[in-house]
Amino acid sequence: MKNIRNFCIVAHIDHGKSTLADRLLETTETIASRDMTKQVLDDMELEQERGITIKLHAIQMKYKARDKQEYILNLIDTPGHVDFSYEVSRSLAACEGAILVVDATQGVEAQTISNLYLAIDAGLEIIPFINKIDLPSAKTMIDTVKHQVMDLVGCTEDEILMGSAKSGLGTDEVLEAIVKRISPPKDNPDAPLRALIFDSVFDEYRGAVAYVRVFDGTIKEKDQIKFFSTGKQFQAEDIGILEMQRQRTGALSAGDVGYIIANVKDVHDTKVGDTITSVDRPAAEPLPGYKEVKPMVFSGMYPSNSDDFAELRDALEKLKINDAALLFEPETSLALGFGFRCGFLGLLHMEIIRERLEREYNQALINTVPNVEYRVTKMNKEVLLVDNPAFMPTPGEIEKVEEPFIKAQIIAPPEYIGPIMKLCMDRRGVHKNTTYLSPERADIHYELPLAEIIFDFYDKLKSLSRGYASLDYDFLEYRESELVKLDILLNGEPVDALSTIVHRVKSYEWGRKLCSKLRELIPRQMFEVAIQAAIGSKVIARETISAMRKNVLAKCYGGDISRKRKLLEKQKEGKKRMKQVGRVEIPQEAFLAVLSMED
């Protein structure tokens, strides 16, 4: 056990985390050079395309150090995006050390700090590594970035490693630092079994596969095991370590990282953060820190063709097997028919699920506007959780509405503080404080309603700071707000899929903009279409799409005016009748009109 080192790599998006992992695998000869690809641990097509880590990965390497001893290095790769911070926290809990990667051209960013604090809270040894020092633009920045890292981590300049993950410069120093500076596991192999599940995947032939770090005791094949959160019992059928493929070893002991297959048919039984113990000699309590993953953003997903409802359900069920954070339940909409209400960790998570459904399962989808979950207290003191505007009670039944607030941390150059603060104030933000990490980096803290940042806040932040600002956020609490349900009516008929929940102060502006946007998106019909925004029974905005009109006088070459008038009157009567029975066709873009209202 003294030669085992469990570590992870934490960094902001695009600071070179996956590239450094590639170099470590290459240097330790875990992967032959001929099999090497870019971002080898990011094996999903979407991960390769976007250059981000979506699912964490674990891999074991063997390294012969300069002291001539052979060490086992368990790398538990982590996603960098804020949407997947729970996965990051679980993988940190399975480690004793972390390599903090900072881009020499970008410096310390919001998620660098967020992930570092998670690592410090977990009691990990931090090894700072300044990456991309071979880039021409890095020469002027290196000293500044060094000072940022020293202030952040509280280390000396000698403890900071520097190199380039792309060229392999400094990789040997990183491996030596892992061996020397990260302590071996201090676990007890004689205590009752306790193993932390830090990830789980679904194998269609073997069932749910739990990726674990064993803290106490030993587990062997044929042992009876129990999951703490569900109390369910299974027999361990296949146990081993994680290299590029699963390698069967038959047993795992304290300090080891590996996998357990126990004929578990449902991935929900192998919940991330849960503890596995033995049935014959159970542990008294689970490992600390387990909590259920809660979705933050909700959206309706409907098949373009209502006949494909069963196919969409099958696709979502298959996807949920590999992504326990996805929640969905059936719902119906008068406008869109049968579909599902889906819960996501954030907007990026929603985008990825949608893309995977379209690519991997050939689904043609209509998405409704993303919403957050509101807490509504009715006059009779009944409390409802509302994630769909269609289920919002009428104004007369509501005593109060509470919405989720988040703590946002924005790091940006000082010259952009003014525009950033204006953006946050426009989104009903409450400024907490501003500190300076260095003369070139300001750290701004805000409390913001989650509903205000899920649409285009991040894009706006990036554009007004020319890409220099970075954002990280954590859920804070529910707060009472003056919120109303804004209905959209087409020819007097409410369209439930276009309803939104907005703050009363912004409701008039939203209604006006939304009606104006829908007027551009909905095609003209043979009859006049009235688009109205209403709160309860009060209409607050209206736009009209004028009717297309056939020229019924085209064949009248002269003749009496009464003949022309007769044709026009006949057309007018027909229009009236058509308006009574006419249905408006709404294109997919209209359901996401809210997302592009600022354009």
Side-chain angles (χ1 to χ4, degrees):
M1 198 159 74
K2 68 183 177 63
N3 282 14
I4 295 175
R5 300 290 183 272
N6 298 321
F7 73 100
C8 60
I9 305 173
V10 293
H12 190 78
I13 294 170
D14 207 29
H15 278 208
K17 181 164 55 69
S18 297
T19 312
L20 178 61
D22 289 354
R23 293 295 80 75
L24 295 177
L25 294 172
E26 210 170 32
T27 308
T28 57
E29 297 179 355
T30 306
I31 298 178
S33 298
R34 66 177 181 275
D35 299 328
M36 199 69 204
T37 58
K38 269 188 181 180
Q39 297 171 330
V40 70
L41 293 181
D42 295 345
D43 50 10
M44 208 187 290
E45 188 184 328
L46 265 173
E47 291 182 312
Q48 295 274 356
E49 253 177 51
R50 288 180 176 235
I52 60 171
T53 304
I54 293 166
K55 278 298 284 178
L56 63 81
H57 297 261
I59 191 162
Q60 187 176 102
M61 300 173 272
K62 290 185 174 67
Y63 172 62
K64 195 160 189 179
R66 289 170 189 167
D67 62 7
K68 301 289 187 268
Q69 289 194 53
E70 188 168 78
Y71 291 86
I72 291 171
L73 310 180
N74 289 310
L75 163 61
I76 298 168
D77 192 22
T78 60
H81 196 276
V82 61
D83 281 8
F84 308 109
S85 60
Y86 182 63
E87 285 203 11
V88 176
S89 70
R90 292 302 87 212
S91 53
L92 292 176
C95 300
E96 277 80 37
I99 300 169
L100 176 73
V101 179
V102 180
D103 188 331
T105 62
Q106 308 265 346
V108 170
E109 300 208 43
Q111 279 163 250
T112 316
I113 295 176
S114 171
N115 290 340
L116 174 69
Y117 286 164
L118 285 173
I120 291 170
D121 289 345
L124 270 55
E125 174 67 37
I126 309 295
I127 300 172
F129 177 71
I130 297 177
N131 190 20
K132 306 186 186 180
I133 62 164
D134 53 347
L135 293 179
S137 55
K139 290 182 174 61
T140 54
M141 286 283 292
I142 284 177
D143 287 337
T144 308
V145 175
K146 269 187 188 173
H147 284 106
Q148 286 177 8
V149 171
M150 283 153 64
D151 291 343
L152 191 62
V153 182
C155 62
T156 61
E157 193 173 335
D158 299 340
E159 291 175 301
I160 300 173
L161 304 177
M162 296 202 298
S164 166
K166 197 161 195 177
S167 65
L169 182 68
T171 309
D172 290 331
E173 284 69 26
V174 172
L175 286 164
E176 284 298 315
I178 291 165
V179 167
K180 286 181 183 151
R181 284 156 65 174
I182 295 175
S183 58
K186 296 182 176 69
D187 304 330
N188 184 357
D190 302 319
L193 173 69
R194 289 199 303 173
L196 173 78
I197 302 174
F198 61 82
D199 192 20
S200 64
V201 295
F202 192 81
D203 184 313
E204 54 186 291
Y205 303 110
R206 310 296 306 273
V209 181
Y211 290 168
V212 298
R213 153 73 198 274
V214 182
F215 279 88
D216 296 322
T218 303
I219 181 169
K220 299 185 184 73
E221 288 176 6
K222 306 301 177 194
D223 283 358
Q224 290 291 328
I225 58 169
K226 183 175 87 169
F227 295 97
F228 259 100
S229 71
T230 61
K232 291 186 181 177
Q233 299 181 9
F234 297 93
Q235 186 182 58
E237 297 291 338
D238 184 352
I239 294 173
I241 58 169
L242 296 154
E243 292 182 351
M244 278 315 286
Q245 305 296 328
R246 294 195 286 264
Q247 295 291 333
R248 192 169 182 172
T249 58
L252 290 172
S253 191
D256 286 339
V257 174
Y259 70 89
I260 297 172
I261 297 174
N263 288 334
V264 182
K265 296 287 181 276
D266 190 349
V267 80
H268 299 104
D269 291 332
T270 55
K271 291 176 178 174
V272 172
D274 196 7
T275 303
I276 294 175
T277 189
S278 169
V279 172
D280 301 329
R281 193 181 164 214
E285 56 183 14
L287 293 160
Y290 172 67
K291 64 173 192 265
E292 291 279 348
V293 183
K294 275 199 69 151
M296 301 292 278
V297 174
F298 296 83
S299 173
M301 280 194 174
Y302 294 84
S304 296
N305 182 352
S306 50
D307 294 342
D308 297 337
F309 173 75
E311 280 180 35
L312 177 59
R313 184 182 55 219
D314 293 345
L316 280 166
E317 279 171 357
K318 284 176 185 168
L319 205 52
K320 188 170 172 60
I321 281 169
N322 271 329
D323 189 345
L326 168 67
L327 292 181
F328 65 91
E329 57 182 32
E331 72 169 6
T332 49
S333 158
L334 293 171
L336 300 172
F338 292 102
F340 293 92
R341 191 90 194 150
C342 301
F344 309 96
L345 297 174
L347 220 56
L348 175 75
H349 188 212
M350 184 181 107
E351 271 180 54
I352 285 161
I353 294 292
R354 185 194 161 93
E355 274 198 52
R356 288 187 69 185
L357 285 168
E358 288 177 345
R359 285 184 189 199
E360 296 171 27
Y361 300 97
N362 298 320
Q363 294 295 310
L365 297 172
I366 292 176
N367 252 69
T368 61
V369 176
N371 279 300
V372 299
E373 192 170 60
Y374 298 95
R375 202 154 61 191
V376 180
T377 307
K378 295 171 76 173
M379 289 296 187
N380 61 4
K381 302 302 177 192
E382 185 189 349
V383 178
L384 302 175
L385 290 174
V386 176
D387 58 36
N388 184 348
F391 301 140
M392 191 78 161
T394 56
E397 294 178 275
I398 297 170
E399 183 186 319
K400 65 175 181 179
V401 183
E402 294 167 295
E403 63 177 331
F405 266 68
I406 52 113
K407 281 186 296 189
Q409 179 188 32
I410 300 164
I411 294 180
E415 60 263 33
Y416 301 114
I417 288 179
I420 288 170
M421 291 180 105
K422 184 181 182 306
L423 174 68
C424 292
M425 282 162 63
D426 290 346
R427 302 298 173 99
R428 301 189 283 124
V430 180
H431 180 247
K432 299 312 286 181
N433 61 9
T434 301
T435 54
Y436 286 85
L437 301 171
S438 72
E440 299 84 23
R441 274 275 196 280
D443 185 2
I444 310 159
H445 290 254
Y446 263 90
E447 289 177 1
L448 286 150
L450 180 62
E452 296 282 355
I453 71 160
I454 61 169
F455 294 133
D456 56 353
F457 182 83
Y458 189 64
D459 295 339
K460 287 264 187 298
L461 183 68
K462 282 289 184 190
S463 61
L464 61 83
S465 67
R466 298 186 183 176
Y468 286 113
S470 59
L471 168 75
D472 190 73
Y473 65 84
D474 281 315
F475 174 72
L476 184 62
E477 62 187 359
Y478 274 89
R479 288 186 189 169
E480 189 176 342
S481 297
E482 215 178 333
L483 298 163
V484 291
K485 178 186 170 190
L486 185 70
D487 283 315
I488 298 296
L489 291 81
L490 295 182
N491 282 347
E493 290 290 320
V495 181
D496 55 356
L498 290 172
S499 299
T500 53
I501 295 170
V502 294
H503 197 271
R504 190 177 288 279
V505 172
K506 291 188 166 187
S507 58
Y508 172 70
E509 183 194 358
W510 267 67
R512 198 168 42 78
K513 281 187 178 174
L514 195 48
C515 288
S516 166
K517 191 77 185 173
L518 290 171
R519 185 176 171 225
E520 294 168 23
L521 294 170
I522 294 173
R524 286 174 72 189
Q525 315 287 322
M526 292 301 290
F527 48 91
E528 186 182 273
V529 178
I531 305 167
Q532 294 168 308
I535 297 170
S537 57
K538 184 184 177 186
V539 174
I540 58 169
R542 173 181 168 131
E543 290 281 346
T544 306
I545 302 173
S546 56
M548 287 195 291
R549 183 165 167 246
K550 184 182 173 187
N551 186 4
V552 291
L553 305 181
K555 293 179 182 175
C556 289
Y557 302 108
D560 186 38
I561 186 72
S562 60
R563 186 169 167 231
K564 292 182 181 178
R565 196 171 286 137
K566 189 178 172 185
L567 285 169
L568 290 169
E569 287 296 326
K570 193 176 174 186
Q571 185 185 37
K572 197 172 172 184
E573 286 300 315
K575 290 268 184 207
K576 265 189 197 169
R577 196 164 60 250
M578 188 180 272
K579 194 171 178 181
Q580 284 165 9
V581 297
R583 283 193 62 196
V584 185
E585 280 197 9
I586 308 172
Q588 153 71 22
E589 297 78 48
F591 295 105
L592 296 176
V594 175
L595 302 184
S596 57
M597 278 205 306
E598 303 289 331
D599 297 350

